[in-house]
Amino acid sequence: MLTVSNKNETQALAAKLAKLLPLGSVVTLEGNLGSGKTTFAQGFAKGLGIQRAVKSPTYTIVREYPLDDSASFVHIDAYRLEEGGADTVDFDYLMHDKTIVMIEWARFMADFLPENYIQINFTPLEDDQARSIQVEVIGSVDHPYHQIVKQWLN
C-alpha cells in the first residue's frame, strides 16, 4: 500500500506504470466515486504519450486512444454496467495483444476479465487530495505483472 498526496502525484505514479506495461496488459481501477480512478487513467494516458484530453467514458462505456503501430489504449468505465449489460460489450475485441486496457469499476464486468491483471484500489484519506493506493496482481503467481509491479513501486 502507498499514499499519494495530490492529483499530480497520482498522475505521475500512473505515468510511471504506463512506461512499464507491455501491450496486451489489463489494469483495473476500483474505489468510490471521486477516489482517483479517472485521475490515474489520465496520468497513465499521458505516460503513453496521449495528448488528447482523457475523460471517464461513464456514458459511452469505452473510449479508445490510438498509439503507434496500430496499437491503442482502451479506457473502459463499467459503472453503468452495475445493473447488467456487460454481455453486450465486445470485450474480446477490445482486450488483445495490441491494446493496453484500463477498466474503472471492473467489478461490474468481473465475468469478462482475463485470468491475469493488475488491480488498483483507491481510498480517499482525510486530506481532500490524499489517497491510499493498494496494488494487487490477480492471477498466476509467476505472471510477469509481479515483476512489473515490483519495479513500478520501487
Side-chain angles (χ1 to χ4, degrees):
M1 184 166 18
L2 58 133
T3 302
V4 292
S5 300
N6 55 48
K7 178 180 177 177
N8 291 338
E9 286 184 16
T10 301
Q11 290 187 340
L13 184 68
K16 183 177 175 186
L17 177 61
K19 293 175 186 341
L20 297 172
L21 280 179
L23 291 174
S25 296
V26 175
V27 177
T28 66
L29 308 177
E30 294 291 345
N32 293 334
L33 287 170
S35 64
K37 297 179 300 296
T38 300
T39 297
F40 190 90
Q42 290 167 338
F44 189 88
K46 285 180 187 173
L48 291 174
I50 295 169
Q51 302 298 315
R52 288 178 41 200
V54 172
K55 300 176 184 174
S56 184
T58 303
Y59 295 100
T60 58
I61 312 291
V62 177
R63 287 190 193 263
E64 193 166 358
Y65 301 88
L67 303 171
D68 295 336
D69 300 325
S70 72
S72 61
F73 169 56
V74 177
H75 184 197
I76 299 172
D77 185 330
Y79 183 74
R80 298 280 175 225
L81 302 177
E82 180 179 16
E83 300 295 324
D87 57 336
T88 65
V89 180
D90 190 355
F91 294 113
D92 289 335
Y93 171 78
L94 298 169
M95 294 185 213
H96 54 78
D97 64 354
K98 285 288 201 175
T99 61
I100 295 178
V101 179
M102 185 162 283
I103 309 166
E104 298 184 38
W105 302 94
R107 66 179 173 261
F108 298 136
M109 52 172 282
D111 293 343
F112 301 93
L113 294 175
E115 182 179 334
N116 298 289
Y117 58 94
I118 297 172
Q119 178 176 293
I120 304 173
N121 293 293
F122 298 83
T123 305
L125 301 175
E126 289 182 26
D127 175 341
D128 275 352
Q129 295 288 313
R131 302 289 185 259
S132 170
I133 298 175
Q134 184 175 358
V135 180
E136 182 179 3
V137 175
I138 306 298
S140 173
V141 295
D142 60 351
H143 194 278
Y145 285 151
H146 289 280
Q147 289 302 320
I148 292 168
V149 167
K150 196 177 287 187
Q151 183 180 358
W152 174 44
L153 298 178
N154 287 331

